[in-house]
Amino acid sequence: QVQLLESGGGLVQAGGSLRLSCAASGRTFSRDVMAWFRQAPGKEREFVAAISWSGGRTDYADSVKGRFAISRDNAKNMVFLQMNSLKPEDTAVYHCATRSTGLANDVRISVGSADYWGQGTQVTVSS
């Protein structure tokens, strides 16, 4: 059974940092795009960041560029999101997601194309 389990969320003041982790199990994800999405109350789920299975290519939403960094450890089936200079508008439930791909530098993933989702971890940024 495939599972994605996020951790690392919490309450932080504006300007602070958090590091999210997502542990994948049930099969190897070394040939998957791995990504983070977020969903704020009353809003649609939105893309945050993605990383290719080679680790050589990343993609970020404009709203987080320069503040967030995605990374992965294929040996441990894990993906991480380092979030710095957090803003109140970053408050949301953060979900990790994967999409199988045969391309080493593919970073394409969307809400509609993701194969698996985690349950999410809450990030709250106070002003």
Side-chain angles (χ1 to χ4, degrees):
Q1 181 180 358
V2 172
Q3 283 190 323
L4 302 179
L5 183 62
E6 302 94 337
S7 61
L11 174 64
V12 64
Q13 288 188 332
S17 299
L18 284 174
R19 185 177 189 243
L20 306 184
S21 300
C22 174
S25 61
R27 68 167 177 83
T28 181
F29 287 84
S30 60
R31 293 296 183 266
D32 286 58
V33 178
M34 299 189 83
W36 291 92
F37 289 76
R38 66 187 181 186
Q39 188 165 18
K43 295 187 176 181
E44 294 186 349
R45 191 168 297 188
E46 65 176 6
F47 170 78
V48 176
I51 186 167
S52 63
W53 62 252
S54 70
R57 188 175 175 192
T58 57
D59 188 27
Y60 296 93
D62 288 343
S63 59
V64 307
K65 280 181 182 176
R67 300 188 298 122
F68 291 11
I70 189 170
S71 60
R72 67 189 292 164
D73 184 335
N74 285 343
K76 296 182 179 180
N77 257 4
M78 295 188 73
V79 62
F80 308 96
L81 186 68
Q82 178 65 44
M83 306 187 295
N84 299 325
S85 302
L86 282 161
K87 304 175 181 180
E89 51 263 44
D90 295 318
T91 294
V93 176
Y94 284 70
H95 300 267
C96 67
T98 69
R99 183 181 72 83
S100 180
T101 177
L103 302 174
N105 289 315
D106 190 2
V107 291
R108 295 170 298 170
I109 188 169
S110 65
V111 171
S113 68
D115 296 321
Y116 299 104
W117 291 93
Q119 290 296 311
T121 184
Q122 175 71 47
V123 171
T124 303
V125 184
S126 63
S127 57

